[in-house]
Amino acid sequence: MTAPVVLHLSNDRKLGPELSFGRAFAALAADGRLIHVPLVPAALLDAGREAALREVRRAAQEARPDLLFVQSPGNFPWTEDDVAGLLRALGSPVVVLWEGDAWGGRKPVPSSMIYWLRHADTVFTSGLGVQAELLGRYTARAVQYVAQTVPQRLWDTGPVPPPDDALYDVMHIGNCFVRFRVLERLDGARERRRFVRSLQRLPNCRFAVHGHGWTGHGVLGPIPFDRQVEALRTARLSVSWEHCPGRDGYFSNRLPISLYAGRPHVTTRPLNTPWLPGPEQGLYLADTPDEAVGLVRELLRDDPATLHRAGIAGHNWVRTRLTNLNALRHMLSWHLDVPPPPADPWAAIAAMEAAVPSVTEVHV
């Protein structure tokens, strides 16, 4: 029996060895579970939108996919006719849509995503609650949850180095989205700014912050995505404050990346995520920026060896659980003969779901 063909419409900017979900697809293909055909529509736009669309159609029809895996489609200017025409030409294969970003509030859903939401058989996203309600306006299907994972391009093979010679005590990675001290460009940006400012004033703390828009003590400027783990390992602790509250289960990939770095991590408490690890695995969750600063104070007084053991435990927890491969297995197992991921914590993740909207609620 021939393995099913999965056409992967990626939101990456170029096709290459570090394609998002690329290694996960390769692992499933090596096991004979599927045939992976990746396409990067945004990489074709230099030739113009119409030329790019013709090439996508040509390659897609050549692949003859059984399933389309559409990864955050907002990077390409899709129209309703583009999406409907492509699916008709392919014989209406199953469409699985993955959206890992947070939307709503000051971030309206882009039209290119709306067109795919209307045609998707299953929609997976990194937050329910506010987010599922918003995306559910455009799809008659129940919006399903999938946790953020560690991008495999950040994985390394060596042991986690101890923080014995750490340059910093605490490091935050993330941009500042507050203008003129009051204008909040993303939901939650004021809380993040207050958190960072409090850490900058923390006595006897070698604090460092990477990202755009920061001023004051410890500012190191932006850092390339692929150097995040390396940077976090120059500190004893990592911290972050998430944007976009009100989404059940939502956290950015900052949480799994920081745990993967092998340092205890202090961050926002996501809504309704009892399956996340706790202090034994180096994860400390707070409901307010002030509470998070208090946790940082306590941890800086803790025994360094104890902190390092907790950091190692967090690293091991993430690298065996919140992986791209496990996320992909979770999503594809709904439609293909792909083994589901380990029950811990994916059974709890699978149990998180949004209410199914009635057809009359769907915006068409």
Side-chain angles (χ1 to χ4, degrees):
M1 180 177 178
T2 305
V5 176
V6 176
L7 179 64
H8 173 196
L9 295 182
S10 172
N11 69 340
D12 286 274
R13 298 294 182 179
K14 63 179 180 179
L15 187 62
E18 297 304 337
L19 182 76
S20 299
F21 289 104
R23 295 189 197 180
F25 270 114
L28 294 176
D31 287 342
R33 298 289 181 174
L34 52 81
I35 297 169
H36 177 221
V37 180
L39 278 178
V40 182
L44 304 170
L45 284 172
D46 287 345
R49 199 190 83 88
E50 291 305 318
L53 189 60
R54 284 195 298 271
E55 177 56 23
V56 169
R57 288 172 178 160
R58 184 205 62 77
Q61 287 180 288
E62 182 179 288
R64 301 174 63 188
D66 301 286
L67 182 146
L68 260 68
F69 182 77
V70 183
Q71 176 192 331
S72 294
N75 280 353
F76 190 86
W78 297 99
T79 68
E80 171 65 27
D81 288 344
D82 295 338
V83 175
L86 177 63
L87 295 178
R88 279 197 305 270
L90 298 178
S92 300
V94 171
V95 176
V96 173
L97 172 62
W98 175 86
E99 178 50 55
D101 210 347
W103 297 95
R106 292 170 175 83
K107 284 183 62 179
V109 177
S111 58
S112 55
M113 189 195 305
I114 291 171
Y115 304 134
W116 279 105
L117 284 166
R118 291 172 177 169
H119 292 276
D121 294 279
T122 313
V123 175
F124 291 96
T125 190
S126 56
L128 298 179
V130 170
Q131 178 133 333
E133 181 181 352
L134 178 63
L135 300 186
R137 297 175 189 174
Y138 307 103
T139 176
R141 314 289 184 177
V143 177
Q144 304 297 328
Y145 176 73
V146 64
Q148 286 278 10
T149 58
V150 182
Q152 285 183 270
R153 60 193 284 190
L154 299 183
W155 283 44
D156 55 28
T157 55
V160 176
D164 300 340
D165 300 317
L167 295 174
Y168 308 104
D169 295 314
V170 180
M171 176 172 288
H172 181 286
I173 296 180
N175 298 327
C176 178
F177 289 101
V178 175
R179 291 279 185 88
F180 312 116
R181 300 187 180 182
V182 293
L183 180 61
E184 185 180 49
R185 296 162 57 205
L186 277 178
D187 297 343
R190 279 195 293 267
E191 287 80 3
R192 174 181 287 184
R193 184 179 184 276
R194 187 168 83 243
F195 181 48
V196 169
R197 289 293 186 236
S198 297
L199 292 173
Q200 288 178 316
R201 294 190 294 266
L202 202 60
N204 303 314
C205 175
R206 298 172 299 165
F207 177 69
V209 55
H210 279 288
H212 292 281
W214 299 110
T215 60
H217 170 62
V219 173
L220 301 180
I223 186 168
F225 185 85
D226 289 355
R227 290 188 54 209
Q228 291 180 82
V229 171
E230 173 190 344
L232 291 168
R233 287 175 176 172
T234 65
R236 295 170 59 198
L237 308 175
S238 70
V239 300
S240 67
W241 195 260
E242 293 283 3
H243 292 136
C244 304
R247 292 148 181 79
D248 285 12
Y250 178 73
F251 50 85
S252 71
N253 60 16
R254 176 73 44 233
L255 187 154
I257 290 171
S258 297
L259 285 182
Y260 181 83
R263 298 292 185 261
H265 184 58
V266 178
T267 189
T268 321
R269 186 187 310 280
L271 296 177
N272 298 320
T273 50
W275 48 268
L276 279 172
E280 296 81 7
Q281 289 81 27
L283 182 61
Y284 297 83
L285 303 175
D287 294 305
T288 67
D290 291 343
E291 182 185 352
V293 173
L295 287 171
V296 170
R297 285 196 186 97
E298 293 177 16
L299 290 171
L300 290 178
R301 293 192 293 264
D302 210 340
D303 172 52
T306 300
L307 288 181
H308 184 51
R309 284 195 296 271
I312 295 296
H315 169 84
N316 291 332
W317 191 92
V318 163
R319 70 183 302 274
T320 56
R321 290 169 175 83
L322 295 188
T323 68
N324 281 0
L325 179 57
N326 283 340
L328 191 63
R329 287 166 62 185
H330 172 66
M331 292 185 280
L332 295 184
S333 64
W334 286 56
H335 299 284
L336 301 179
D337 181 21
V338 171
D344 175 23
W346 287 92
I349 289 172
M352 297 177 64
E353 61 179 29
V356 182
S358 67
V359 174
T360 57
E361 292 174 318
V362 178
H363 293 198
V364 296

